[in-house]
Amino acid sequence: MKLTDLLKKLEYTCIQGNVDVDVTEVVYDSRKVTEGCLFICIEGANFDGHSFAEDVVKRGAKVLVVSKPVSGLDGMDVTIVQSKDTRYAMAFISAAYFGHPAEKLKVIGVTGTKGKTTTTYLVKSILENAGYKVGLVGTIEVIIGDEHIHADNTTPESYLLQKYFARMVEAGLDTVVMEVSSQALMLHRTQGFLFDYGIFTNLEPDHIGPNEHASFEEYLACKGLLFKQCKVGIVNGDDSHWQQVVEGHTCELENFGLGEHCMLRAEDLTLVHKPGELGVSFRVSGLMNLSVEVCTPGRFSVYNALTAIAICRHFGVSDGDIRAALLNASVKGRIEMVKVSDDFTLLIDYAHNAMALESLLATLKEYEPHRLVSLFGCGGNRSRQRRFEMGEVSGRLADFTIITSDNPRFEEPQAIIDDIKVGMKKTNGKYIEICDRKDAIRYAIDHGEPGDIIVLAGKGHEDYQEIKGVKYPMDERVLIQEILEERR
C-alpha cells in the first residue's frame, strides 16, 4: 500500500526520505516489526516507541511515524514522517490501512460512568431481534458473528479497533455497538471515523488518579469528545452534567430520561417480583409510545433500557421486537439472575467498589426482601480503603453479609477479609466469614430463606480467581451448578 494513501487525512511533515513508497504492514509494537513495514512510535506511561527507532529500522522498518526528533538514523534508508500526536496519527493510518471499514457499518458508541456494558448488550439484542447483524466491542468481549474474543481494554487501541471493524465487514455484519471509555477518547483510539450515534449514559466521579484522569473536569471533558465525533448525540437528560458534556458539540442532539423535559421518557414505573426473578415495567412516552418490561431490577435498569430504546428508535425497530428483546435480554455478570429456587432470588453482579455496591444494594432493598444477603470479597494489591468502604456499605444496607475471597493476588485472603471487617464493625450489620468462595456460595444457597434476595458481588463476568500471580478457572455459574448437583 502506498504511504501517501495512508497519510491522506493527516497533517504531517516528511523530515527524511520520500512519502511515495510502498508499505507492507502497519506496526506499533517494536516486537512485531517486519520487513518493509511502517512503524508508529507511541509514547506510553512506561515506554516510548521513539527510543526503539534505530533498532526497528535495522530490522526492516521502512517508514517511521514520530512526534519528536529521533537520533541515529542519518544516512539510513528510511522515511520519517512527523505528526503532532502519533496516537492520533495511528487512528487515521489504521483506518486507511484496513480500508475505512467503519464507513461500511452503522457505528454506535456508548460512553458514561455506568451502564455502558448493559446498554451495548441490550442494543445488540434488540437490533438482532429485528433482523440486523450486529457486532459488539466492550469491557467483557468483542463479538464478531459467532466468535467471542476476550477484551483487555474497554475500548481497544485504534489499530485493533479498525481490525475488528474490518473483520465485521468481512463477516457480513451491518452494525457495531461499542463501549467508548474516557481513556479511549483521551488517547484518540476512536479517531479516524465518525460514529453514527454517540450516547451518554451518566457521569460520576471515577477513574481519577495516576495513569487515568488528573481531575473530574478532565474526565468530563474527555467524555464530551464523543459529541464532536458523531452525527447524532443521544444523552441522559436527567444527568446533572449532560449540558457540560455536550458543550461545543457538532452533532444533532436528543435526550431521554424520567423528567418531563426529556424527549423520550419512562413513566409509571412498577417493580416486578416473580418467583426467583426481579424486574421492572414502565411506559415509554414522548418520541415513542409503548409499554415494556425488563428482567432486571431497579431504576438504573430503566435507564439502561430507555437508552437502548432511544438508540434503536433510529433503526425503525418495531414495538414488538423491542418488548421481546428487553424481556429476554441478559448480560453476563450485570445483575444476572441465576435460578436456584422459587423461594429466594440469587443474582451475580460485578459491583466491586463501594459506590457500585451501595447502588446495587439500595436498588434491591426497594423490593422489600425478607432478607438482603450480600456475599463479596475484595481484590488484593489494591487500596485498603476500598475494603473498609465496602464492608461499611454492606454492613449498613444488607441484612446479612458473607465475607469471602475475591482475587487475593499476592496478598493473604484472610488479611483482606480482616480489612473488610474493619468497615463492617462500624455498623450493626450481621456477618460471617468463609474464606473459600465456593464454600461461601454453598452456605448462601443452603441457608437461603423464603423471600431472600442473595447477591454475589464483585466477580461478575470474570471466570477466574487470581492467586499468587496465577489465574485459576473459577466461574460462579459453574460453582452454583456444582453445588446444586452435590445437593441432589
Side-chain angles (χ1 to χ4, degrees):
M1 193 169 189
K2 285 289 185 185
L3 176 58
T4 49
D5 292 331
L6 295 176
L7 300 175
K8 268 183 182 175
K9 296 187 178 182
L10 273 179
E11 290 185 10
Y12 64 90
T13 303
C14 182
I15 58 177
Q16 182 174 315
N18 182 2
V19 294
D20 190 27
V21 294
D22 290 317
V23 170
T24 57
E25 196 174 358
V26 173
V27 179
Y28 62 97
D29 183 337
S30 62
R31 296 167 296 183
K32 298 180 180 179
V33 168
T34 56
E35 184 67 35
C37 74
L38 175 153
F39 180 74
I40 305 171
C41 298
I42 300 295
E43 289 188 70
N46 303 309
F47 67 92
D48 186 350
H50 293 82
S51 62
F52 298 102
E54 185 177 359
D55 176 60
V56 298
V57 172
K58 287 178 178 177
R59 290 192 286 121
K62 293 300 180 188
V63 178
L64 292 182
V65 178
V66 302
S67 61
K68 60 187 180 184
V70 288
S71 59
L73 302 178
D74 291 342
M76 297 182 74
D77 181 21
V78 61
T79 295
I80 304 176
V81 173
Q82 185 164 341
S83 177
K84 185 178 179 181
D85 186 316
T86 51
R87 285 189 179 276
Y88 183 85
M90 181 165 72
F92 283 89
I93 290 169
S94 299
Y97 180 69
F98 287 105
H100 299 286
E103 295 177 2
K104 300 158 192 167
L105 298 162
K106 286 288 186 184
V107 185
I108 304 162
V110 183
T111 198
T113 304
K114 296 187 296 188
K116 296 188 298 295
T117 300
T118 300
T119 297
T120 54
Y121 279 89
L122 289 177
V123 169
K124 187 175 189 294
S125 177
I126 294 171
L127 292 181
E128 287 183 336
N129 210 55
Y132 290 89
K133 297 177 181 179
V134 187
L136 183 144
V137 179
T139 300
I140 300 174
E141 61 189 344
V142 175
I143 305 176
I144 304 172
D146 294 329
E147 186 179 5
H148 294 247
I149 305 164
H150 173 75
D152 292 320
N153 295 312
T154 297
T155 312
E157 287 287 2
S158 58
Y159 176 89
L160 192 53
L161 180 60
Q162 293 294 336
K163 184 177 181 179
Y164 287 147
F165 285 173
R167 289 188 55 195
M168 289 176 187
V169 172
E170 290 171 11
L173 306 188
D174 49 49
T175 306
V176 57
V177 57
M178 62 179 287
E179 296 182 51
V180 184
S181 68
S182 54
Q183 282 280 304
L185 289 161
M186 182 173 69
L187 298 174
H188 308 304
R189 291 176 187 167
T190 58
Q191 284 292 345
F193 67 96
L194 271 180
F195 288 91
D196 291 281
Y197 302 97
I199 291 82
F200 167 67
T201 60
N202 52 61
L203 195 70
E204 295 180 9
D206 199 8
H207 301 292
I208 298 164
N211 298 328
E212 291 193 275
H213 295 288
S215 64
F216 179 72
E217 289 72 24
E218 180 185 284
Y219 179 49
L220 185 153
C222 287
K223 291 291 187 190
L225 293 173
L226 179 60
F227 301 97
K228 298 172 185 176
Q229 199 194 331
C230 69
K231 298 174 185 175
V232 177
I234 303 172
V235 301
N236 178 355
D238 292 338
D239 189 271
S240 60
H241 302 287
W242 79 265
Q243 289 176 310
Q244 294 167 277
V245 169
V246 300
E247 188 174 341
H249 68 87
T250 58
C251 59
E252 297 178 29
L253 271 185
E254 59 184 60
N255 62 18
F256 63 90
L258 275 59
E260 281 294 324
H261 62 286
C262 295
M263 299 162 71
L264 187 75
R265 298 181 297 280
E267 299 175 343
D268 303 332
L269 278 60
T270 304
L271 302 183
V272 177
H273 198 168
K274 302 173 184 177
E277 297 179 17
L278 304 173
V280 59
S281 64
F282 60 95
R283 185 167 59 85
V284 180
S285 62
L287 293 173
M288 296 184 72
N289 187 14
L290 71 153
S291 296
V292 299
E293 181 179 328
V294 291
C295 55
T296 50
R299 183 168 291 231
F300 54 77
S301 293
V302 174
Y303 275 107
N304 291 338
L306 196 60
T307 310
I309 293 168
I311 297 164
C312 294
R313 184 182 76 84
H314 289 271
F315 288 77
V317 180
S318 71
D319 293 358
D321 282 332
I322 289 173
R323 287 194 192 96
L326 288 178
L327 195 55
N328 295 297
S330 65
V331 183
K332 186 177 182 181
R334 299 303 197 275
I335 330 179
E336 178 187 356
M337 306 286 171
V338 181
K339 188 70 177 287
V340 298
S341 171
D342 283 341
D343 292 334
F344 58 84
T345 303
L346 185 144
L347 59 91
I348 296 172
D349 192 79
Y350 188 50
H352 60 289
N353 58 40
M355 181 174 68
L357 186 63
E358 180 158 13
S359 176
L360 175 65
L361 296 180
T363 291
L364 296 176
K365 282 184 79 71
E366 293 179 3
Y367 285 79
E368 300 180 351
H370 169 62
R371 293 186 309 163
L372 178 56
V373 179
S374 166
L375 181 153
F376 76 97
C378 289
N381 302 103
R382 298 292 188 270
S383 167
R384 294 180 68 200
Q385 186 63 33
R386 174 180 289 188
R387 304 167 193 175
F388 305 149
E389 291 171 352
M390 289 186 72
E392 188 171 352
V393 164
S394 190
R396 178 165 45 85
L397 292 177
D399 297 296
F400 187 68
T401 299
I402 303 171
I403 307 173
T404 187
S405 187
D406 193 288
N407 289 323
R409 297 185 176 90
F410 289 95
E411 289 193 67
E412 290 301 320
Q414 188 60 49
I416 299 171
I417 288 172
D418 289 343
D419 281 343
I420 295 171
K421 285 157 57 180
V422 171
M424 283 289 309
K425 288 174 181 177
K426 293 181 180 179
T427 74
N428 295 318
K430 298 176 182 178
Y431 69 91
I432 188 172
E433 54 183 287
I434 303 174
C435 193
D436 182 273
R437 198 168 183 104
K438 182 175 181 179
D439 288 343
I441 295 171
R442 181 186 289 109
Y443 180 92
I445 292 173
D446 287 345
H447 292 81
E449 299 177 8
D452 279 357
I453 296 177
I454 302 170
V455 55
L456 314 184
K459 295 296 291 177
H461 61 275
E462 292 180 352
D463 56 6
Y464 65 86
Q465 187 172 42
E466 187 177 347
I467 303 171
K468 304 294 184 185
V470 179
K471 289 184 177 181
Y472 296 93
M474 193 195 76
D475 187 319
E476 290 186 318
R477 296 147 205 81
V478 174
L479 297 183
I480 291 166
Q481 289 308 310
E482 289 175 353
I483 292 163
L484 295 180
E485 287 168 12
E486 290 165 7
R487 288 176 64 180
R488 294 192 193 102

